[in-house]
Amino acid sequence: MSNVPSSSAVVAAHAPEASSASRTVALVGPPNSGKSTLFNRLTGLRQKVANYPGVTVEKRLGRTSLQGQDVLLVDLPGVYSLEPRTEDEQVTHDLLRGRMDDVPKPDAVVLIVDVTNLGRQLTLAGPILSLGLPTLVVLNMADDLKRRGGTVDVDALAEQVGTPVALVSARTGEGLSAVGEFLQGALGVPRPVELPIISNVPSCRQWSAELGKRARYRAPLPSNWTRRLDGVFLHPVAGPLIFVMVVLAVFQTIFQAAVPLMDGVETMIAVSGGWLQSALPESWFRSLLIEGIWGGVGSVVVFLPQILLLFIFIGVLEDSGYMARAALIADRTMAKVGLEGKSFIPLISAYACAIPAILSTRTIANQRDRMATILIAPFMTCSARLPVYTLVIAAFIPEEPVYARTATMIGLYLLGFVAAVLTAAVLKSSVLKSARTPFLLEMPSYRMPTLRSIGLRLLDRAKIFLRRAGTVIMATTIVLWFLASVPLQNGEPPEIAESVAGAIGRTMEPIIEPLGFNWRIGIGIITSLAAREVIVGTLGTIYGMEADEGSLELQSALQSDLTLPGAIALLIYFAFAMQCMSTVAVVRRETGGWKWAIIQFVYMTALGYVCAFAAYRILS
């Protein structure tokens, strides 16, 4: 077995000379083939995410420069077929045929397959090669193949398919020089290959198996570690218990490990705010900068370390292969409420954000299952709720016993999950009733996550969080500062309670008073419709404007406004209520109108209000 294919297996026979013009290359492959890992390694930070026009499928575009030549890489959704049944497959089908207005037809294709599952994954090669585009077949996960005793004759396979073949490991970077060579110059039309009827799936599979034989392919032995770990993680009793223990460990670590980092960020914000306050003359601009922006945005940025720590754990669980096992365990629960296993994957991603979770439902072919998944996804505890939960829990839940705060946080996550499951059960037994679809999931081998992969994930998440802090949250705090500074009284800003913002809060107070909330919390609930974590910035601005010298002691200030029953009611309200207008807009677009978006908003908000009311009354 050779790690890097010879030149005859790298460059197609009719490749033209490389030109200096920018080229477009599509990356195609089945799910779990390592396609996105290869894309990240090739493009690094030079990538962006957007949506194809007219559909909700995300597109990832990245650029790479090879000896001064600019190449545009398009990371297409993972698919098993080019026969369009889902939006993923439709987009891949249309883009490869040049039917996307905003992305040019690819000049070449890189087909990535998992070499440890070659017989199954090569079924996609026939349809791709029939397009007539210059194609490089990348046999990924070479390190896994070698470790498990498998072999493949790369040159023989390249000769059989009539197109370049490279054996690589996107994870370690092994063999990527072959990919770079193809991207630079191998853009010729591949030699004709005798292909089966593309629409005949069994024929494609027979062809791929025949290719494997001619390439003297020896499948790798099943990983001993994978077998042993699956025997434990997928055990009907031990599996769920281990999953619960993993969740407990994650949140306990988040609370313990994030504290020093959060304290450091808070100190930096306080020191820089104090320096600015002493450096600037007293004016409306200083008030806006210190009390508005610094108090509002700074109070949210403090929680960045905790959010990043959460995403480190999510990244490790996903990249190691454990998350797929968790999905299989949870499928047993999903089946009881009428959802297919594919619904669990978007629900898992909703722990990051409901918007990409809703977009990822495009892989669900059953439209009623897809609609039900869209409607329940916002119940999952997204990262935007984390600052709210952390602030209130730290202010009202004692540090002792050790697991009190962790148990409270996990309880809130479970609360959202239970609400999602019960809502799905109601929907799937009534208006969205349909037959159950079998859940098919290809289990990846267990792998050690790489620092590069985790680092890129964290950098991307930090950019998203800081961009939101610098746009939505900053804009909200500026508007709030203005509303809290008018009308002027004798040329001076009024007390906040007598300002326009105070009037809005006091108008709302009779509605929220039964929940144990006052007018300040009411202002926060209104502003957090823009984004859930905005309530932290809002309270930071309000308390900062009320305090002397612009000091900001959010936890102690919150304790003066809320009792323990009121704090629990606030947590429950945020666990259920739809406090995110961006999600409402995405639901409207996904469902084709305002009907379901309005129903979802009213239902979630009403559920949050009723449950918060009940909690406050019972605890009081």
Side-chain angles (χ1 to χ4, degrees):
M1 179 187 71
S2 57
N3 289 335
V4 180
S6 64
S7 59
S8 63
V10 173
V11 182
H14 306 290
E17 291 186 7
S19 65
S20 59
S22 176
R23 290 169 175 155
T24 301
V25 179
L27 270 61
V28 187
N32 294 324
S33 61
K35 177 174 57 63
S36 294
T37 303
L38 179 62
F39 176 79
N40 290 334
R41 182 169 283 276
L42 292 173
T43 61
L45 302 178
R46 301 181 62 192
Q47 55 181 265
K48 63 179 182 179
V49 179
N51 285 91
Y52 293 101
V55 295
T56 58
V57 178
E58 286 187 343
K59 63 179 175 185
R60 299 178 70 205
L61 303 177
R63 292 192 177 275
T64 183
S65 294
L66 302 165
Q67 298 182 356
Q69 185 176 42
D70 195 31
V71 179
L72 174 65
L73 295 176
V74 184
D75 184 15
L76 289 169
V79 295
Y80 288 108
S81 169
L82 292 188
E83 296 180 3
R85 292 168 298 178
T86 66
E87 284 197 19
D88 275 357
E89 293 170 349
Q90 186 68 57
V91 163
T92 301
H93 175 278
D94 291 347
L95 188 138
L96 291 175
R97 287 165 173 77
R99 298 174 185 172
M100 285 289 180
D101 295 335
D102 66 332
V103 179
K105 182 178 180 179
D107 299 297
V109 175
V110 175
L111 171 62
I112 301 99
V113 297
D114 180 358
V115 70
T116 65
N117 294 315
L118 194 58
R120 183 165 63 249
Q121 298 219 336
L122 268 181
T123 56
L124 192 58
I128 294 294
L129 293 174
S130 69
L131 298 172
L133 294 170
T135 301
L136 171 68
V137 177
V138 171
L139 308 180
N140 193 21
M141 305 182 188
D143 55 333
D144 206 10
L145 179 75
K146 182 177 181 180
R147 185 176 63 253
R148 292 161 53 188
T151 59
V152 61
D153 189 327
V154 175
D155 293 334
L157 184 58
E159 182 179 355
Q160 174 62 24
V161 299
T163 197
V165 176
L167 181 63
V168 310
S169 171
R171 177 179 170 274
T172 65
E174 175 187 349
L176 288 188
S177 59
V179 180
E181 187 176 343
F182 175 82
L183 295 178
Q184 287 180 69
L187 293 173
V189 177
R191 293 189 297 268
V193 181
E194 184 178 350
L195 299 173
I197 300 172
I198 301 305
S199 61
N200 191 322
V201 176
S203 183
C204 285
R205 289 176 178 168
Q206 183 180 0
W207 177 71
S208 65
E210 183 65 24
L211 286 177
K213 291 178 183 178
R214 296 189 183 187
R216 293 189 288 277
Y217 173 67
R218 186 174 72 192
L221 296 173
S223 170
N224 289 332
W225 273 108
T226 296
R227 288 203 311 268
R228 292 170 184 170
L229 291 175
D230 278 348
V232 177
F233 292 147
L234 297 181
H235 190 275
V237 177
L241 289 177
I242 291 173
F243 181 72
V244 172
M245 291 173 62
V246 168
V247 172
L248 283 169
V250 167
F251 287 108
Q252 181 63 20
T253 305
I254 286 175
F255 267 109
Q256 296 295 326
V259 170
L261 297 173
M262 294 172 67
D263 290 343
V265 174
E266 190 171 24
T267 299
M268 291 172 56
I269 294 172
V271 170
S272 57
W275 180 83
L276 283 174
Q277 185 165 347
S278 61
L280 296 174
E282 185 174 349
S283 64
W284 67 267
F285 177 74
R286 189 180 78 167
S287 175
L288 169 63
L289 185 62
I290 304 301
E291 299 166 356
I293 297 175
W294 232 253
V297 177
S299 60
V300 178
V301 173
V302 166
F303 296 96
L304 178 60
Q306 200 170 43
I307 291 174
L308 293 184
L309 198 58
L310 174 64
F311 276 90
I312 287 177
F313 282 106
I314 292 177
V316 168
L317 293 176
E318 287 181 348
D319 292 355
S320 66
Y322 178 77
M323 197 65 85
R325 275 77 183 178
L328 191 61
I329 293 171
D331 177 56
R332 300 162 189 165
T333 302
M334 304 299 292
K336 294 177 181 178
V337 297
L339 289 176
E340 60 177 282
K342 283 187 177 180
S343 297
F344 186 74
I345 305 301
L347 295 182
I348 284 287
S349 63
Y351 283 113
C353 179
I355 292 175
I358 290 170
L359 297 180
S360 67
T361 61
R362 62 183 181 266
T363 61
I364 302 174
N366 186 314
Q367 289 303 306
R368 293 195 169 206
D369 282 357
R370 185 183 181 215
M371 181 71 73
T373 308
I374 289 173
L375 294 176
I376 66 174
F379 277 118
M380 311 305 285
T381 302
C382 64
S383 59
R385 289 181 172 102
L386 194 56
V388 186
Y389 289 174
T390 302
L391 173 64
V392 179
I393 288 173
F396 290 93
I397 305 299
E399 294 186 39
E400 299 294 339
V402 176
Y403 293 105
R405 292 180 174 179
T406 301
T408 304
M409 180 71 79
I410 292 175
L412 290 167
Y413 273 71
L414 287 175
L415 203 60
F417 180 75
V418 169
V421 169
L422 293 179
T423 301
V426 172
L427 290 172
K428 291 298 295 176
S429 63
S430 55
V431 293
L432 296 179
K433 189 173 183 179
S434 64
R436 174 168 166 77
T437 305
F439 179 40
L440 301 177
L441 180 66
E442 187 170 334
M443 287 292 169
S445 300
Y446 291 100
R447 295 185 178 90
M448 185 66 69
T450 63
L451 291 176
R452 178 187 178 90
S453 174
I454 299 298
L456 285 173
R457 189 191 303 261
L458 291 184
L459 186 60
D460 182 60
R461 175 50 51 180
K463 285 165 58 179
I464 293 173
F465 181 84
L466 294 176
R467 189 183 304 122
R468 191 134 97 168
T471 54
V472 175
I473 297 174
M474 181 182 289
T476 304
T477 56
I478 290 174
V479 171
L480 178 63
W481 175 87
F482 174 77
L483 294 177
S485 302
V486 293
L488 296 178
Q489 297 177 354
N490 300 321
E492 296 292 330
E495 297 291 326
I496 294 182
E498 300 174 2
S499 67
V500 172
I504 294 173
R506 291 193 181 282
T507 301
M508 185 180 179
E509 194 170 38
I511 301 174
I512 59 175
E513 191 174 15
L515 310 182
F517 308 159
N518 64 9
W519 62 272
R520 295 181 186 86
I521 304 297
I523 295 175
I525 289 175
I526 293 174
T527 58
S528 64
L529 287 171
R532 291 181 176 93
E533 67 269 42
V534 171
I535 188 174
V536 178
T538 297
L539 296 176
T541 299
I542 292 175
Y543 295 138
M545 295 180 72
E546 288 185 330
D548 296 331
E549 302 298 327
S551 64
L552 184 61
E553 296 290 344
L554 261 181
Q555 291 185 27
S556 59
L558 199 60
Q559 289 168 352
S560 66
D561 273 346
L562 283 173
T563 61
L564 178 60
I568 299 299
L570 183 62
L571 290 172
I572 292 175
Y573 180 82
F574 267 83
F576 293 147
M578 173 66 92
Q579 297 293 106
C580 183
M581 296 311 295
S582 298
T583 303
V584 174
V586 169
V587 172
R588 183 204 64 81
R589 188 176 65 180
E590 290 292 306
T591 58
W594 283 107
K595 174 186 172 182
W596 284 108
I598 292 174
I599 290 174
Q600 181 187 47
F601 179 84
V602 172
Y603 168 69
M604 292 184 66
T605 303
L607 183 64
Y609 186 95
V610 170
C611 292
F613 175 83
Y616 179 70
R617 291 301 171 186
I618 292 172
L619 293 175
S620 294

